[in-house]
Amino acid sequence: MSESQSRRLVVAINPTASFGSTSGLGARVVEELRRDGHDITELRAQSFEELTVAARAALADHPDALIVVGGDGMVSLGVNLVGGTATPLGIVPTGTGNDSALGLGIPFEFDAALAALRAALTREPRTIDLGYLSHAGGELWFASALSAGFDARVNERANRMKRPRGASRYTIALLVELLRLRSRRYTLVVDGETRTVDSVLLAVANNRSIGGGMLIAPDAQLDDGRLDLFIVAPLSRFRFLRLFPKVFKGTHAGLPVVSLSRVSSVTVAVDSGDIVAYADGERVGPLPVTVSVRPGALRVLA
């Protein structure tokens, strides 16, 4: 590789990927990119907070790109470091939830994902939209979606549980929340117009999927300058169980209980006060939140 093709790259590796089948993948990314002739700053830390601090310091030196190795949590970290800047974001998906990679067409298989990243480094980055969220605790970017309904409650319950570890904790949380399923009354301000809706599942999506492949907005596009407001009307547990598998295939769109609409901004508040919002699977805080689209806010190596 010639000097003109060499890049200064920051590679941030998921702090939780220190065991199991993905434990060595971050090192392989660094090794392969160095073999290609790139100048690599490798970042590892004990926590996401420490990794964020280290990455922010490394980005102050204006590298050519930030590469994240991990799932949607790492994408969220990267998006909130380089969103709204000229620094491109590269993604090597190695997590259990890879919705951002899915929407961008980045392969999940490691060698294919690495090959896709290498190819992307030889051409101009793609430009996509981001969601921009503000709430009482601050502001942040998101790539895929804001969740403010049933799936957000499942995430919140799972995060409060200390046992069991692993994916089974999420399954148990889902079953508990299903037993407690009820609709909430939301007050929405959609592109300046206020309305009230009753809903069991509500999200504002930039990407097609959330939750590791739930195609909540099957026609969403990452670069159309719009967000997709997804609302599921009140329904019984039995009907919810019949609907839920359809969301993974995108075949729920068009059903009478499902509303999908293109919007530019949404404020979401809830009467019950018991909904904690999540963005790209990461905890945001209690409603209300305001979300708006920021066209072309992220340059991505995809």
Side-chain angles (χ1 to χ4, degrees):
M1 175 175 290
S2 68
E3 287 189 19
S4 62
Q5 294 174 302
S6 178
R7 302 284 187 268
R8 291 190 306 114
L9 306 175
V10 175
V11 177
I13 299 167
N14 186 346
T16 65
S18 56
F19 55 89
S21 60
T22 65
S23 60
L25 298 183
R28 281 192 59 194
V29 171
V30 170
E31 178 185 353
E32 295 296 331
L33 291 178
R34 280 183 174 149
R35 184 175 295 153
D36 289 346
H38 300 299
D39 178 4
I40 306 298
T41 299
E42 179 181 359
L43 299 181
R44 297 177 182 268
Q46 295 298 311
S47 68
F48 276 87
E49 292 76 14
E50 292 176 5
L51 187 62
T52 299
V53 171
R56 185 173 289 116
L59 289 168
D61 196 31
H62 304 292
D64 294 310
L66 169 66
I67 313 296
V68 294
V69 182
D72 283 328
M74 284 298 295
V75 175
S76 178
L77 180 149
V79 162
N80 280 284
L81 286 167
V82 301
T85 76
T87 304
L89 179 67
I91 302 166
V92 181
T94 63
T96 53
N98 298 301
D99 291 291
S100 295
L102 180 64
L104 289 163
I106 298 172
F108 288 2
E109 195 275 323
F110 177 77
D111 288 330
L114 186 56
L117 174 63
R118 283 168 151 160
L121 284 165
T122 68
R123 59 178 183 261
E124 279 297 308
R126 178 181 173 185
T127 300
I128 66 168
D129 308 332
L130 290 177
Y132 188 75
L133 185 152
S134 61
H135 64 113
E139 301 172 334
L140 57 86
W141 300 98
F142 66 87
S144 289
L146 164 82
S147 301
F150 174 78
D151 54 323
R153 289 186 58 81
V154 171
N155 266 320
E156 183 70 356
R157 178 169 293 279
N159 286 341
R160 291 201 307 263
M161 295 167 58
K162 295 182 179 179
R163 295 179 182 176
R165 295 179 181 271
S168 58
R169 181 171 59 180
Y170 184 87
T171 302
I172 293 171
L174 188 150
L175 292 172
V176 171
E177 286 301 324
L178 182 62
L179 291 172
R180 300 183 178 190
L181 181 71
R182 66 180 177 87
S183 66
R184 266 73 175 177
R185 175 154 291 183
Y186 294 87
T187 299
L188 307 178
V189 182
V190 182
D191 292 337
E193 295 187 5
T194 302
R195 59 188 173 106
T196 301
V197 300
D198 293 323
S199 174
V200 293
L201 190 55
L202 187 148
V204 185
N206 182 49
N207 193 6
R208 298 172 63 211
S209 71
I210 62 172
M214 293 171 56
L215 295 170
I216 58 168
D219 295 326
Q221 299 178 33
L222 288 165
D223 55 2
D224 63 351
R226 304 283 275 174
L227 299 170
D228 287 57
L229 176 60
F230 171 65
I231 301 171
V232 176
L235 71 177
S236 67
R237 293 184 188 92
F238 177 71
R239 289 190 68 196
F240 188 82
L241 280 171
R242 291 185 63 188
L243 169 72
F244 205 61
K246 296 180 184 294
V247 178
F248 287 90
K249 299 178 181 178
T251 54
H252 63 289
L255 294 175
V257 295
V258 175
S259 169
L260 278 164
S261 55
R262 295 276 168 85
V263 303
S264 295
S265 67
V266 187
T267 297
V268 183
V270 67
D271 288 359
S272 61
D274 63 345
I275 301 287
V276 172
Y278 278 71
D280 290 352
E282 300 299 305
R283 193 179 197 273
V284 174
L287 299 178
V289 300
T290 297
V291 176
S292 59
V293 67
R294 298 296 171 88
L298 183 68
R299 303 177 75 218
V300 62
L301 299 171

